[in-house]
Amino acid sequence: MGKGYKNKTCVYCGREGCSETADHVVAREFFLKSQRANLPKVPSCAKCNGEKSSLEHYLTTVLPFGGRHADATTNLSEMVPQRLEKNAKLRRHLISEKGRIWSEEAGLLLPHMTLPIDSDKLNQLFCYIIKGLIWHHWGLLLPCDYFIGASSLTKEGESFFLDLFNKNPRREVNVSLGKGTFKYEGRQGTDDPYITLWRFTIYGGVVFSESSLFPSEKTSITWGLTCHNSLNPNYIFQ
């Protein structure tokens, strides 16, 4: 580990002088081994690194099943089986809870296999990722009195974010990692640099559904937001 990441402030919890490792903001396991160069890194304490790694181990196993990107297919065939071998409990859960939904494609209703996913873990991981990206791109540590949230939304819920996304930001980023395996866009508020808005796409867009028969109207994009707690944006993520 480089000296630049040791004994620094942990980007995730904000404790000073406690970082012990350089954490990859977007886990290397999301990518094929040939696509892991130049991933963003931040200083992290052991506790935050461990909690984030637990979320990553789960999601890098489950998300490739729903990916549309070519690398998701390769990941699914070459790396996911090894992860499931090490996690028999998760393997049994996926097998027992798999189902089927119908979705319309080119005017036809076609069946698709579904697998259960813990959306809370997905949202928690993206909150870590947002904190890491704010530091990586803009050198900012999110204050403790700021809200951070992430979720996949319905098309109606997205309209709120799209209105903000189209405004002129102070700064913005648009990054594609691993040849499109993981894409993100970020916008920083003009009046308050800690107000940020994020849009993420994994594996070309993983579709989430809350119905056992038909897919919900939730999009394949995960949105994230940071703002001061006084703005009370919790209703957006209900």
Side-chain angles (χ1 to χ4, degrees), residues 158-170 172 185-188 190 197-199 223:
E158 272 197 331
S159 63
F160 172 85
F161 284 89
L162 289 172
D163 288 342
L164 294 179
F165 227 70
N166 292 329
K167 297 182 183 297
N168 293 323
R170 176 195 298 250
E172 59 185 289
E185 299 172 76
R187 302 287 190 271
Q188 185 183 39
T190 55
L197 183 65
W198 300 88
R199 180 161 56 184
W223 293 85

Side-chain angles (χ1 to χ4, degrees), residues 198-217:
W198 300 88
R199 180 161 56 184
F200 301 94
T201 305
I202 307 178
Y203 294 135
V206 176
V207 177
F208 301 99
S209 173
E210 293 179 344
S211 170
S212 60
L213 296 177
F214 294 92
S216 69
E217 295 182 356

Side-chain angles (χ1 to χ4, degrees), residues 131-142 171 188 194:
K131 285 185 177 181
L133 293 178
I134 290 174
W135 186 89
H136 174 73
H137 287 289
W138 300 320
L140 299 175
L141 290 167
L142 192 67
R171 288 180 287 187
Q188 185 183 39
Y194 296 105

Side-chain angles (χ1 to χ4, degrees), residues 14-31:
R15 290 188 297 131
E16 297 181 0
C18 68
S19 67
E20 299 179 25
T21 186
D23 178 67
H24 288 92
V25 179
V26 184
R28 299 169 74 248
E29 289 75 16
F30 278 114
F31 307 91

Side-chain angles (χ1 to χ4, degrees), residues 9-102:
T9 300
C10 174
V11 167
Y12 301 123
C13 67
R15 290 188 297 131
E16 297 181 0
C18 68
S19 67
E20 299 179 25
T21 186
D23 178 67
H24 288 92
V25 179
V26 184
R28 299 169 74 248
E29 289 75 16
F30 278 114
F31 307 91
L32 302 184
K33 292 181 180 179
S34 61
Q35 305 292 343
R36 295 177 178 179
N38 302 317
L39 299 178
K41 294 187 290 187
V42 298
S44 172
C45 70
K47 181 176 183 294
C48 288
N49 184 261
E51 292 175 351
K52 181 169 175 283
S53 292
S54 178
L55 298 171
E56 291 165 344
H57 291 324
Y58 170 74
L59 292 166
T60 55
T61 302
V62 174
L63 291 180
F65 283 98
R68 302 173 181 177
H69 192 280
D71 284 1
T73 303
T74 305
N75 197 317
L76 186 61
S77 62
E78 295 183 1
M79 291 184 280
V80 169
Q82 298 174 13
R83 295 167 189 161
L84 288 174
E85 284 181 7
K86 298 177 181 179
N87 193 336
K89 181 179 179 180
L90 177 58
R91 184 175 70 251
R92 290 193 299 269
H93 175 65
L94 294 178
I95 292 173
S96 65
E97 297 297 326
K98 70 178 181 179
R100 176 175 292 185
I101 59 172
W102 294 82

